[in-house]
């Protein structure tokens, strides 16, 4: 079992920045892919970015490239998502996820999920 807890969400003005954090506990994260998804109100959950825990290799959804940066701290067991130049359309609940083995952009590839953190961007 992997337990994930997100933090760092909040209300920010357009153009601002936020840094979301996901703290993992439980089993080792070696062999896992870690990801951030988001779900705007009334819409489906969508992939944002992912990182391989062991190698640090990253994957981004095309529209967020250049504004979103995913990273991990293996000593602290955390995964972070830096969001710059925030836009109102970034408003959503952001979820951290972990999956063992091959993981990509599909939500079904991830086994463990956090409770989510709300990001609201005002125009």
């Amino acid at each position: 079992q992997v337990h994930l807890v997100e933090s760092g969400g909040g209300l920010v003005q357009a153009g601002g920045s936020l840094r979301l954090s996901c703290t993992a506990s439980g089993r080792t994260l070696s062999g896992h892919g870690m990801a951030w998804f988001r779900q705007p109100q009334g819409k489906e959950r969508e992939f944002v970015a992912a990182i391989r825990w062991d190698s640090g290799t990253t994957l981004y959804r095309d529209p967020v490239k250049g504004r979103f940066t995913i990273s991990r701290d293996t000593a602290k067991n955390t995964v972070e998502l830096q969001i710059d130049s925030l836009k109102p359309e970034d408003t959503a609940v952001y979820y951290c996820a972990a999956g063992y083995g091959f993981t990509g952009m599909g939500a079904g590839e991830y086994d463990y999920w956090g409770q989510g953190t709300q990001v609201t961007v005002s125009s």
Side-chain angles (χ1 to χ4, degrees):
Q1 286 283 347
V2 177
H3 184 58
L4 303 171
V5 179
E6 302 96 334
S7 61
L11 173 64
V12 294
Q13 288 189 332
S17 297
L18 271 180
R19 191 171 185 87
L20 307 182
S21 184
C22 172
T23 302
S25 60
R27 64 178 291 180
T28 177
L29 293 178
S30 179
H32 283 75
M34 307 294 295
W36 287 94
F37 286 75
R38 67 184 182 185
Q39 187 166 17
Q41 189 173 7
K43 298 184 178 181
E44 291 188 356
R45 193 170 299 189
E46 62 184 18
F47 172 81
V48 174
I51 188 167
R52 295 300 305 177
W53 186 258
D54 297 319
S55 67
T57 302
T58 58
L59 176 67
Y60 293 93
R61 182 169 167 264
D62 282 345
V64 307
K65 283 182 179 178
R67 293 195 301 120
F68 287 44
T69 304
I70 189 170
S71 61
R72 92 274 193 245
D73 187 325
T74 57
K76 296 181 179 179
N77 249 28
T78 58
V79 177
E80 297 190 331
L81 184 69
Q82 175 71 32
I83 312 174
D84 298 316
S85 303
L86 278 156
K87 303 176 181 180
E89 51 264 42
D90 294 321
T91 295
V93 178
Y94 283 71
Y95 295 92
C96 178
Y100 185 76
F102 174 81
T103 52
M105 297 185 180
E109 298 167 15
Y110 295 87
D111 305 303
Y112 307 102
W113 293 82
Q115 82 290 349
T117 186
Q118 176 72 47
V119 171
T120 303
V121 184
S122 63
S123 57

